[in-house]
Amino acid sequence: MAVQGSPSAHPQRFDLVVTGGLLTDPLRDGPEPGDLAVQDGRIAAVGAPGTLDGHRRLDAAGLLVTPGLIDLHTHVYAPRTDLGVPADDIGVRQGVTTVVDAGSCGSDHWTDFSDNVVRPAATRVLSWLNISRHGLVHGRRELSRGPDDIDEAATEKVLRDHPGQVRGIKVRMSSSVLGDSGLAPLRAAKRVAARVGRPVMVHVGNEPPRLGDVLDLLGAGDVVTHAFHGKPGGLLGSEPEARAAVERGVRLDIGHGSASLSFTAAERALAAGFTPYTISTDLHARNTAGPVHSLVTTLNKLLALGLTPQQVIRCATLHAARVLGLDGELGTLRPGSAADLTLLRTADTAMTLTDSEGVTRTCAAPLEAVTTVRAGAPVAPR
């Protein structure tokens, strides 16, 4: 994204101009000074500093102007599930313009979820629909009753009827969820996903099933969330299958959660060449006060592990948009895309951060959310 232009290049007055900031295009190596114009809820133009005029001006001096952050794994089905938190509390009020609910809702409750969570939120709310028909509404062993928990036809219908909101299927593949179901729910999710052309997000954790057996069933575009947990097994316990999965396009996601980001495990995985494709939080009612806190805090934890600011921003913008099949609409500062923006400050005070196991690391220059712009409208984070 070349930032260029002169005052005569864009003579019109736009709805909003974000001025004085460092435009941070995930496709580039670093930020560039420039102005960004918004018209009718979309990015209308980018230009050199001082070249764009707007009815309103948002001063971004000294701030990174990034595409709106996308949290690929959250739980926002409140109050129907005991984990649900209000979408805006972890969305626009924390510098995040899009949250994706990861399996709180299944086909049985989609209408209620859409009416009472998606529509009222200022934050864009998308969904990974749970392969379990009842999602997490009746508890967190949603796949323990075998075939009675899954209605493939109903799941497929929701995906076909609501393609803009439902971006894929969620299935939790760990022993605490499955009972005696084994790999059958994942196979069901893959069948439905193949019929509608959408990816699957797979929760991994305590074995069985063995991670390698789960990975063998996944293909290009599918997502493994909680990929950097510290439980027995993990990526390095199934290293051949993990390398083969990444090579064929399976994406590794952080999915921090209460028990699924281990600094030690992540450091070993990073050293072995496993890099997260996306960074998400798994925020829910039991971890907003810690250890997760927010998506920006989670980005800082990956900075503490050696990723660069451009890498973590790319993971939570461009890469997340690609997972959702929304590349070009979200995750970019290119004209024509949605005017969802996050303005970030780089703090000059180091921050001590805690993982899911109580282990700490230090981020020397943490990011802080300053302002969110959602569909062209500024919102001040809490």
Side-chain angles (χ1 to χ4, degrees):
M1 178 189 65
V3 177
Q4 57 188 0
S6 64
S8 61
H10 300 285
Q12 74 180 95
R13 295 192 75 194
F14 297 98
D15 292 338
L16 173 71
V17 169
V18 182
T19 183
L22 295 169
L23 303 185
T24 307
D25 182 349
L27 289 172
R28 297 182 65 83
D29 293 332
E32 294 183 44
D35 289 356
L36 181 147
V38 172
Q39 186 73 27
D40 298 324
R42 307 195 77 79
I43 296 174
V46 295
T51 62
L52 303 179
D53 189 21
H55 295 285
R56 293 183 297 160
R57 296 178 72 81
L58 180 59
D59 184 4
L63 303 179
L64 300 176
V65 180
T66 78
L69 299 181
I70 301 168
D71 195 338
L72 203 63
H73 183 159
T74 67
H75 292 281
V76 294
Y77 197 6
R80 289 300 299 274
T81 67
D82 65 355
L83 294 181
V85 294
D88 290 342
D89 284 359
I90 62 170
V92 292
R93 293 174 190 149
Q94 289 191 339
V96 177
T97 57
T98 298
V99 299
V100 191
D101 185 272
S104 303
C105 174
S107 58
D108 284 359
H109 301 90
W110 170 255
T111 299
D112 179 71
F113 179 81
S114 180
D115 290 346
N116 293 298
V117 176
V118 177
R119 291 179 186 174
T123 308
R124 178 186 285 103
V125 179
L126 304 176
S127 176
W128 297 97
L129 191 71
N130 203 316
I131 190 61
S132 164
R133 60 187 300 166
H134 40 77
L136 304 183
V137 171
H138 301 308
R140 279 165 281 160
R141 286 180 55 80
E142 71 270 18
L143 292 168
S144 60
R145 298 185 305 168
D148 290 343
D149 289 322
I150 296 174
D151 186 335
E152 290 189 33
T155 300
E156 181 176 347
K157 186 176 189 305
V158 173
L159 270 85
R160 290 193 183 280
D161 289 350
H162 304 280
Q165 293 174 325
V166 185
R167 307 306 300 178
I169 301 173
K170 172 74 180 295
V171 56
R172 296 207 297 156
M173 297 301 294
S174 62
S175 59
S176 60
V177 178
L178 292 167
D180 296 326
S181 296
L183 293 168
L186 177 54
R187 291 192 173 102
K190 287 293 294 178
R191 286 194 295 270
V192 177
R195 292 197 292 268
V196 297
R198 288 293 166 91
V200 169
M201 172 183 271
V202 181
H203 157 126
V204 297
N206 289 314
E207 300 180 358
R210 181 176 170 271
L211 177 58
D213 295 335
V214 171
L215 293 171
D216 283 345
L217 294 177
L218 304 181
D222 291 334
V223 179
V224 177
T225 192
H226 309 315
F228 297 82
H229 68 71
K231 300 164 188 174
L235 289 174
L236 299 185
S238 295
E239 188 168 349
E241 295 94 337
R243 292 197 184 283
V246 171
E247 287 176 5
R248 64 177 179 270
V250 175
R251 277 94 177 241
L252 303 180
D253 175 57
I254 291 294
H256 186 322
S258 298
S260 297
L261 175 59
S262 162
F263 283 145
T264 302
E267 286 164 342
R268 291 172 179 165
L270 288 167
F274 292 106
T275 303
Y277 187 77
T278 50
I279 299 172
S280 71
T281 63
D282 185 22
L283 271 166
H284 56 68
R286 300 184 182 184
N287 62 35
T288 54
V292 182
H293 299 290
S294 71
L295 179 56
V296 174
T297 301
T298 305
L299 300 185
N300 288 332
K301 294 181 184 184
L302 274 297
L303 289 177
L305 294 180
L307 272 66
T308 68
Q310 194 73 355
Q311 283 177 307
V312 301
I313 289 168
R314 189 177 293 126
C315 286
T317 56
L318 177 67
H319 288 183
R322 287 176 174 171
V323 166
L324 296 168
L326 294 172
D327 188 10
E329 173 67 9
L330 304 179
T332 178
L333 297 181
R334 300 302 173 95
S337 62
D340 287 1
L341 308 170
T342 302
L343 277 58
L344 299 167
R345 175 189 296 115
T346 301
D348 55 11
T349 303
M351 177 182 292
T352 299
L353 299 160
T354 305
D355 71 1
S356 297
E357 300 178 336
V359 176
T360 61
R361 294 289 186 271
T362 299
C363 180
L367 300 171
E368 299 174 349
V370 177
T371 302
T372 310
V373 177
R374 168 73 177 101
V379 180
R382 288 184 303 205

